Each structure stands twice: as structure tokens, then as C-alpha cells.
Amino acid sequence: MNLRPSTVRPGKMAMLGVSGVLLAVLWHLGLADGPLLARGARNIGIFAQDLVPPDASVLPTVAGAMVETVEIAFAGTMLGFVGALPLALAANDTVSGRTAAGAVRMFLALVRTIPALLWAIVFVVAVGLGAGAGVLGLAMYSMGYMGKMFADAFDDIDPEVVEAVRGVGVGRLQLARFAILPETANAVLAQTLFVFEYNVRASSILGFVGAGGIGFYLLGYVQSLQYDALMMAILVTFAAVVVIDQASMRIRRRFLSVASHTATRS
Amino acid sequence: MPGVARVAPGVAVSVRDLWFSYRDAAPILRGVTFDARAGEMTVILGESGGGKTTLLRILKGLVMPLRGEIEILSSPLKRGLMGRLDPRVAYIPQQLGLIRSQSVVTNVLTGALARTGTLRSLLGLMPVEHTEEAEAILHMLGIGEKAALPVQTLSGGERQRVAIARSLMQHPTVILADEFVSQLDIVTSREIMSLARDVADRGVALVMTTHELDLAREFADRVIVLRDGAVALDSPAREVDEAALVKAIRG
């Protein structure tokens, strides 16, 4: 590639401009305050001292809560999948026609606009405190998110495959079952695993709003200033997330080696 | 021969004054008129961009023409409930449109979906006679022993045979094949062309596009040249020499 000076200069200008905007925004947010930052640094130091050593006595409690967190993530992902797959098919122009497909896409976007935590609050109100609300909240958001990812994967199929199978004279459900789903099966599986990984992280804060899992303890330890217990909970969360990410990534790679590039798009 | 309903010789596809253009662009097809007969191989020649692929896609019902008439065995091209396309017309796109991760026999069985009940097929309960027919067709096409393999493990010529097998499962009156042997080496091309010749001989109207003038003159019954969206030549293959073909193609 030939980088001529004329193509570099606007880049530098843009970088200077963005830096200027950043400084202005920090000032506006009150972060360009020397004494404040100094106090913050001192507090972090004190906080860090209280974090160690981690309180081993809470290990059974937080480990149990982490298991519940992973369970919430798993159940939320699976229920979301069950909702997402038919909706994604309904969001496909060839399967349900342009008008209906557009409406379904709009619905998926709307569901996705509301973050999982907000959905969890809605379900805490609806079904009460506990993991049930967490599962339902995560399922709603996952449905919107996976619905969009699956719909994109369906749109990216080789059009000749769709036309060849349509040419046989099949109905729309048959087209979905015999062309669209088999062509995208690997991508759909890989994306579902990806969402499960994401949901393990998302579900560890669902407890903040009383929707089950380790988040309840994370928030509780912060509020009661038990920073050594908080450290234990963070370590357990970190370990679980790393293990699940690694395992899931390995499985995903095996699918992806035969799936299309769309699987990694998010 | 399994998969081929015997059809009385005569006109299988009749195309009259077909026009097509994308929105306000210049027309791609300008009043195309021709017949394709049962039991004959009709080869459509012409330079790229001359409207060959568009013509086949219109004949399959994938694209609606601006105006003009298409009849299959004297009845208009069917458009069924919810956009179901006419199963009497089989279509093999240029890249074949096979599902590569699926087995050969699964791909071939999709050819019978129009005559398998929707619920039954969605549950994966394919009639035994369909499976038997699919296996017989694969055997006839010389790839019977590949039935259980995924399509992605097959060679180009073998994939071509799978596509032919799928179209035969449709019990077609017409088979449309786009750039049928363009991806194959010359030896395999000749094998596939003579296989196609056999299929046509049993009563199917085979309409294919190609760039291979030699193969067209050797195997086809009829050659049609499309130039700038219009029929520039329509003649029995044996009555036209290469010079005349080139002249019709180039203009």
C-alpha cells in the first residue's frame, strides 16, 4: 500500500481533534480535577489493601452462587435460542415475504434495545426475586440478539442454493428445513456458543437487581465493605469465565472451520 | 429409466415474445421467441451478458418477465400457493446450488419435496420409494456408491451428476441448466454431455446454456444464439457450421 503524505495528514488532524474533544468531555464530566484524582488514587490504595488476602471462608457460598450463575446463563441461552430460531426464519425475506420479514426484524431490534439487566428488572417485577427472573431476562435479550445473528446468517446463504431448492417447487417451510437450516447449521451452533459465553459474563451481574447468581454477593460485599470477600467472589467469577470461554472457543473453532465467515460476526 | 416420465415428442416449452429489463435499464431480453422439444437438447449460445442466465431464470419462474408468454406442455407456467414454483421445470444453476455439507442422497431427495407432504418432509419421514428411486437414479448416473458421502467430498463431475439426479427426482418435463459444463475439464465435460444426451433421449426437454461451441454442435439437437437479448439464430445443430455460429454470436 502506498501511504502518501496527503493520506496521512488528515489522519493526524483527526487524532488531534479527537484528543481535544476527549479533554473537553473529561473536563465537563469533572474528571479534570487534580485534587479529586489524587484523593481517588489514595482511596484505591486503601481499597486494594483491603482486597487481600481474599476471604476463603466465603468460597463455598460464592462457588455455589457461581454455579447458579452458569445455570442461569445456560437456561437463558437455550430459551433464547428456542425463541430466536423461528423468529430469525420469520425475518427472512424468502421464507415469510418482505413485509412480514421487515416487521419481525423490527420486533427483534426492539427486544435487543433493552439490555438484559433491564429485562431482568421487568421479570423481577413480574415473577419475583430470584434466578427465575434472571433466566427470563437473559432469554429475552438473547432471543433478540441471536435472532438478529441467525437472520444475518440466513441472508448470507449462497443464493443459488436457495434458488435451486425453490426451483424444485418446495413450500417455504420446506425451503427453511432443507436449504436454509442445513446451510447455516454450523454458523448457528457457533453463534449460540458465543452467546452462552457472553451470557455467563452478563449473568454475573443479574444479582444486582435481585435476579439470582453471584451478582447478589458481589453487590452485597461492596455495600457491606467486605472487600476481602468481594475479592474471593471476583476470583471465582474470573476463573469460571476463563474456563468457559476457553472450552467454548475450542468447540466453536471446530464448527467454524467448516462454517461460513458469518459465524464470527456479532 | 427411473425419474423420467415418458413424454410424447413435441413442443415441451414454448416461449413467445419475452421481454425483460431491470427497472428503467436497457432491456436484457427483447422479444425472445423459441420452442424446445421433448427428447431434444436445446443449447443456447451467446456472449456473457447476452441474457442467457436471465432467460433460464425467467423460465424457472424465479424472475417475472416484463411481458411475453411461457407454456410448459401447452399450459402456462404455474405459480402455486405462497410462491411455490412449477415442479415440471427443473433448474440447475451455474454453481449447481447443492447443499455441500449434506450427503449426496439427501441432496437428491430434495428433488422429490414437491410431491412429499409438507408435514411428512419436515419431520424427515421420506417415503421409502423416494429413497429407492434416488438410489436407482444415482446408480444409473454412475455414482451409486457415493450416495452416503457429503457433497463437498465429491469431484466437479460427480457434483454435476448429483445435480442431474436431483433434477430427475422432480420428474421434470424440462431441465434448465446454466453454463452446464463450464467448470469441468474437457474429458469430464464430454462424459457429462453424453449423460445429458441420454437424459434428453428418454423424453425430457433439456435446455442448457454454454460457451463451448464444439460440444454444442456435437451433442445438441438445436442451437439458439442470443445476441443483445434477441434470438440471432435458431437452427438444427447439424445444419449450422462453426463460422455461422461465430458470426451469429459476434454479430
Side-chain angles (χ1 to χ4, degrees):
Chain A
M1 200 163 41
N2 182 20
L3 276 179
R4 285 163 299 150
S6 63
T7 61
V8 175
R9 238 177 265 131
K12 279 184 180 163
M13 290 291 285
M15 210 131 70
L16 268 172
V18 170
S19 307
V21 171
L22 175 64
L23 279 175
V25 167
L26 288 178
W27 180 81
H28 184 235
L29 294 173
L31 260 176
D33 178 347
L36 177 94
L37 288 177
R39 202 166 354 111
R42 260 198 319 280
N43 284 344
I44 293 262
I46 296 164
F47 177 62
Q49 278 174 1
D50 287 349
L51 283 173
V52 286
D55 181 358
S57 69
V58 297
L59 182 59
T61 312
V62 292
M66 192 63 223
V67 169
E68 189 182 70
T69 301
V70 176
E71 285 174 350
I72 293 170
F74 175 75
T77 309
M78 288 300 116
L79 291 181
F81 176 87
V82 168
L85 201 63
L87 282 171
L89 284 171
N92 184 274
D93 283 350
T94 321
V95 173
S96 53
R98 219 167 267 174
T99 319
V104 175
R105 272 179 186 278
M106 200 102 102
F107 171 71
L108 286 172
L110 198 74
V111 171
R112 223 166 41 243
T113 312
I114 302 172
L117 205 60
L118 266 183
W119 277 119
I121 292 174
V122 170
F123 284 109
V124 164
V125 172
V127 302
L129 290 170
V135 169
L136 293 173
L138 211 53
M140 280 305 279
Y141 181 77
S142 305
M143 182 182 81
Y145 191 53
M146 283 193 275
K148 157 90 169 139
M149 292 205 301
F150 296 167
D152 284 348
F154 298 162
D155 281 350
D156 280 357
I157 298 181
D158 178 0
E160 283 201 348
V161 171
V162 172
E163 290 185 348
V165 175
R166 273 188 74 203
V168 166
V170 299
R172 291 169 180 208
L173 288 175
Q174 287 177 321
L175 181 74
R177 163 85 165 75
F178 293 97
I180 296 175
L181 290 178
E183 272 289 278
T184 53
N186 282 311
V188 162
L189 283 171
Q191 286 166 342
T192 304
L193 271 166
F194 173 80
V195 168
F196 172 60
E197 284 171 46
Y198 175 88
N199 279 349
V200 171
R201 276 169 268 139
S203 63
S204 47
I205 58 163
L206 285 174
F208 287 13
V209 297
I214 201 166
F216 174 75
Y217 295 95
L218 288 170
L219 188 68
Y221 293 148
V222 169
Q223 286 173 339
S224 60
L225 310 179
Q226 290 175 266
Y227 293 140
D228 49 354
L230 174 68
M231 188 64 191
M232 197 67 220
I234 288 173
L235 285 176
V236 167
T237 309
F238 177 72
V241 165
V242 167
V243 168
I244 286 169
D245 272 9
Q246 289 298 317
S248 164
M249 208 169 66
R250 268 175 209 201
I251 306 173
R252 273 200 291 137
R253 252 190 224 139
R254 296 183 64 178
F255 287 127
L256 281 176
S257 61
V258 275
S260 65
H261 67 283
T262 57
T264 49
R265 203 170 64 186
S266 56
Chain B
M1 180 178 193
V4 176
R6 282 200 168 271
V7 187
V11 174
V13 191
S14 146
V15 178
R16 292 289 171 272
D17 195 28
L18 210 59
W19 287 76
F20 179 80
S21 75
Y22 285 106
R23 295 188 181 258
D24 299 328
I28 293 174
L29 298 179
R30 306 159 188 264
V32 171
T33 296
F34 72 93
D35 290 328
R37 291 169 180 280
E40 284 193 359
M41 189 191 279
T42 304
V43 169
I44 301 174
L45 297 162
E47 293 192 321
S48 304
K52 303 193 297 291
T53 297
T54 306
L55 176 59
L56 292 196
R57 286 164 54 82
I58 290 174
L59 293 182
K60 179 56 255 185
L62 290 165
V63 184
M64 299 304 266
L66 227 49
R67 63 166 197 264
E69 278 159 40
I70 301 165
E71 288 188 344
I72 310 293
L73 293 180
S74 308
S75 75
L77 200 62
K78 281 185 230 162
R79 218 167 219 280
L81 218 58
M82 306 272 287
R84 264 183 195 256
L85 301 178
D86 197 328
R88 296 176 299 169
V89 181
Y91 173 60
I92 305 177
Q94 189 172 353
Q95 311 288 341
L96 307 178
L98 297 169
I99 297 156
R100 288 174 273 270
S101 59
Q102 302 276 70
S103 74
V104 167
V105 73
T106 308
N107 270 280
V108 175
L109 277 170
T110 58
L113 284 177
R115 55 193 162 99
T116 317
T118 300
L119 187 62
R120 193 169 179 172
S121 66
L122 291 180
L123 294 173
L125 303 168
M126 299 304 178
V128 180
E129 59 270 26
H130 287 185
T131 315
E132 286 170 359
E133 186 184 351
E135 277 163 1
I137 290 174
L138 286 169
H139 219 80
M140 175 190 83
L141 296 176
I143 48 169
E145 77 287 3
K146 308 265 182 183
L149 296 178
V151 166
Q152 61 202 0
T153 64
L154 268 55
S155 71
E158 287 165 347
R159 290 180 195 197
Q160 211 89 16
R161 287 165 205 252
V162 177
I164 298 173
R166 178 176 62 190
S167 68
L168 288 178
M169 275 304 274
Q170 246 172 282
H171 298 172
T173 306
V174 194
I175 297 177
L176 309 169
D178 197 11
E179 293 296 341
F180 195 47
V181 291
S182 63
Q183 322 253 335
L184 302 176
D185 62 78
I186 186 67
V187 177
T188 316
S189 289
R190 298 184 62 87
E191 274 172 31
I192 296 294
M193 284 301 272
S194 74
L195 210 56
R197 182 70 258 176
D198 290 346
V199 169
D201 284 345
R202 318 276 166 122
V204 176
L206 194 58
V207 179
M208 66 168 73
T209 68
T210 184
H211 283 110
E212 312 279 346
L213 298 192
D214 294 344
L215 289 177
R217 289 183 53 234
E218 183 178 347
F219 289 96
D221 296 294
R222 193 160 199 95
V223 288
I224 292 172
V225 173
L226 270 191
R227 190 174 73 237
D228 299 329
V231 175
L233 183 146
D234 181 353
S235 156
R238 60 180 173 283
E239 287 173 18
V240 62
D241 60 17
E242 189 168 335
L245 272 181
V246 171
K247 186 162 177 283
I249 292 169
R250 295 271 163 76

